[in-house]
C-alpha cells in the first residue's frame, strides 16, 4: 500500500480511526477516480498525496465541526466526484447519505464507485437543486446538508436550506476568511428560515491549508416559494 500517513494521521486528529478495510476503500477510491478522470473531468488534483489531503482529508475535516454523524441523514449537494460525501460515508458507515449532482455522467461515476467500494445506505441522485427541493422525498428531510460547491453563500443557502429539517444544519465549505460573504448572505438566510451560528476557521491537520465551515441552523420551515427556479438563486441572490 502507498504511504497514506497524511490521511491516517489527519483522520486520527479528527477522532476518526481508519481501519484496514476503510484504508482499502480510500485506495480503491483514489485508483478509480484517477482512472475515470482520464475520460471525464472529475478533478484537477491527481497526485496521490494531494488527493489524500485536498480531497479526502478535507472532506473528513467536517467531522471536527459536527462531532457525531452516526445515525444521521446527510445530503451532499453538488457532490461532483463525491466530495465530501464518499469520504464521510467511508468513515461513518452508519450514516445515511444522498449525493446529488446536476451532471448525469458524474452520478453514473458515483453509482459505479458505490458498487466498487461496497457502500450501503448511500444514493447518488441526478437532479437540480431547484427541482429536487420541491419533491416530498427530499424537502426538509435531512439532518445535515453540506456543500463544497463554489458559489456565494447567499445562493448556496437558497439551494441547500430547503432540504434541511427544522433544527437541522446547513454547512458550507469555504476557503479562508468569508466574513464579508456571511454578512452579504444575512438577508437570504433569514428569509429561508435559517440562523448563522458561526464561521469556524482552521487548518487541515498537519498542513497550512485553511478551511472555513459556515454553520447555519434551520429555525423553521422554509417558505414554499424557495428555492426559486430558472437559475435565479445564482443570477439574483436574495
Amino acid at each position: 500500500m502507498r504511504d497514506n500517513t497524511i490521511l491516517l494521521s489527519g483522520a486520527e486528529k479528527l477522532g476518526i480511526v481508519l481501519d484496514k478495510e476503510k484504508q482499502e476503500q480510500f485506495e480503491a477510491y483514489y485508483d478509480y477516480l484517477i482512472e475515470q478522470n482520464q475520460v471525464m473531468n472529475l478533478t484537477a488534483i491527481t497526485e496521490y498525496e494531494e488527493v489524500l489531503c485536498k480531497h479526502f482529508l478535507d472532506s473528513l475535516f467536517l467531522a471536527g465541526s459536527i462531532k457525531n454523524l452516526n445515525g444521521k441523514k446527510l445530503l451532499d449537494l453538488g457532490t461532483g466526484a463525491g466530495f465530501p460525501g464518499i469520504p464521510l460515508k467511508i468513515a461513518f458507515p452508519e450514516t445515511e447519505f444522498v449525493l446529488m449532482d446536476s451532471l448525469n455522467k458524474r452520478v453514473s461515476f458515483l453509482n459505479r464507485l458505490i458498487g466498487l467500494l461496497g457502500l450501503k445506505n448511500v444514493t447518488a441522485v441526478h437532479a437540480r437543486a431547484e427541482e429536487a427541493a420541491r419533491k416530498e422525498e427530499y424537502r426538509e428531510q435531512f439532518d445535515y446538508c453540506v456543500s463544497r460547491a463554489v458559489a456565494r453563500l447567499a445562493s448556496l443557502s437558497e439551494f441547500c436550506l430547503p432540504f434541511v429539517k427544522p433544527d437541522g444544519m446547513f454547512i458550507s465549505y469555504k476557503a479562508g476568511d468569508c466574513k464579508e460573504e456571511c454578512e452579504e448572505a444575512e438577508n437570504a438566510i433569514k428569509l429561508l428560515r435559517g440562523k448563522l451560528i458561526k464561521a469556524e476557521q482552521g487548518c487541515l491537520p498537519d498542513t497550512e491549508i485553511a478551511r472555513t465551515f459556515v454553520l447555519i441552523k434551520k429555525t423553521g420551515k422554509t417558505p414554499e416559494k424557495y428555492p426559486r427556479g430558472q437559475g435565479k438563486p445564482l443570477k439574483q441572490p436574495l
Side-chain angles (χ1 to χ4, degrees):
M1 191 177 286
R2 291 160 290 209
D3 184 4
N4 62 357
T5 305
I6 192 167
L7 178 61
L8 293 183
S9 173
E12 190 175 347
K13 286 172 181 171
L14 295 168
I16 299 168
V17 176
L18 299 178
D19 59 22
K20 186 180 178 184
E21 181 185 2
K22 290 175 182 177
Q23 290 178 53
E24 288 172 351
Q25 287 175 314
F26 275 113
E27 289 292 304
Y29 188 1
Y30 172 77
D31 287 336
Y32 194 61
L33 175 71
I34 298 309
E35 175 193 313
Q36 292 299 300
N37 199 54
Q38 294 174 14
V39 293
M40 68 174 83
N41 182 24
L42 293 168
T43 177
I45 298 168
T46 57
E47 291 298 321
Y48 180 68
E49 278 208 3
E50 275 203 286
V51 171
L52 293 192
C53 184
K54 295 180 180 178
H55 282 326
F56 295 169
L57 186 57
D58 185 47
S59 294
L60 297 180
F61 198 37
L62 181 73
S65 294
I66 293 183
K67 308 301 180 192
N68 184 19
L69 280 168
N70 281 324
K72 303 296 184 182
K73 187 174 181 181
L74 188 147
L75 172 66
D76 176 6
L77 189 65
T79 186
F83 307 121
I86 295 286
L88 287 168
K89 178 62 185 178
I90 292 171
F92 298 94
E94 302 305 313
T95 303
E96 181 181 351
F97 283 82
V98 173
L99 314 176
M100 191 174 288
D101 200 88
S102 61
L103 198 61
N104 195 38
K105 64 180 181 180
R106 284 199 291 251
V107 173
S108 296
F109 161 80
L110 291 169
N111 278 319
R112 295 192 300 270
L113 177 67
I114 289 164
L116 177 69
L117 301 183
L119 300 174
K120 307 296 182 187
N121 211 15
V122 54
T123 310
V125 177
H126 173 226
R128 293 180 62 84
E130 304 98 307
E131 296 160 6
R134 298 194 170 280
K135 294 184 178 178
E136 197 173 322
E137 64 263 41
Y138 300 124
R139 191 174 185 90
E140 297 186 328
Q141 295 299 308
F142 296 89
D143 299 294
Y144 297 102
C145 177
V146 300
S147 184
R148 252 175 127 226
V150 180
R152 301 291 287 181
L153 187 61
S155 301
L156 275 178
S157 295
E158 187 171 354
F159 287 133
C160 293
L161 275 169
F163 291 101
V164 181
K165 297 175 181 177
D167 291 326
M169 192 87 71
F170 160 45
I171 303 176
S172 176
Y173 280 67
K174 292 290 179 182
D177 181 33
C178 58
K179 183 180 178 183
E180 183 183 320
E181 200 173 327
C182 288
E183 290 173 353
E184 175 190 283
E186 276 182 12
N187 183 57
I189 293 168
K190 186 177 179 181
L191 286 171
L192 298 159
R193 304 295 187 268
K195 181 182 180 182
L196 178 63
I197 301 300
K198 60 181 173 179
E200 197 167 66
Q201 195 168 4
C203 288
L204 298 185
D206 303 322
T207 78
E208 295 180 359
I209 300 171
R211 170 61 80 190
T212 299
F213 290 113
V214 181
L215 279 67
I216 298 170
K217 187 172 183 177
K218 188 76 173 281
T219 58
K221 285 186 170 291
T222 298
E224 288 185 13
K225 62 182 177 180
Y226 303 117
R228 297 165 295 161
Q230 300 174 324
K232 284 184 180 178
L234 289 171
K235 295 173 189 171
Q236 301 168 24
L238 293 170

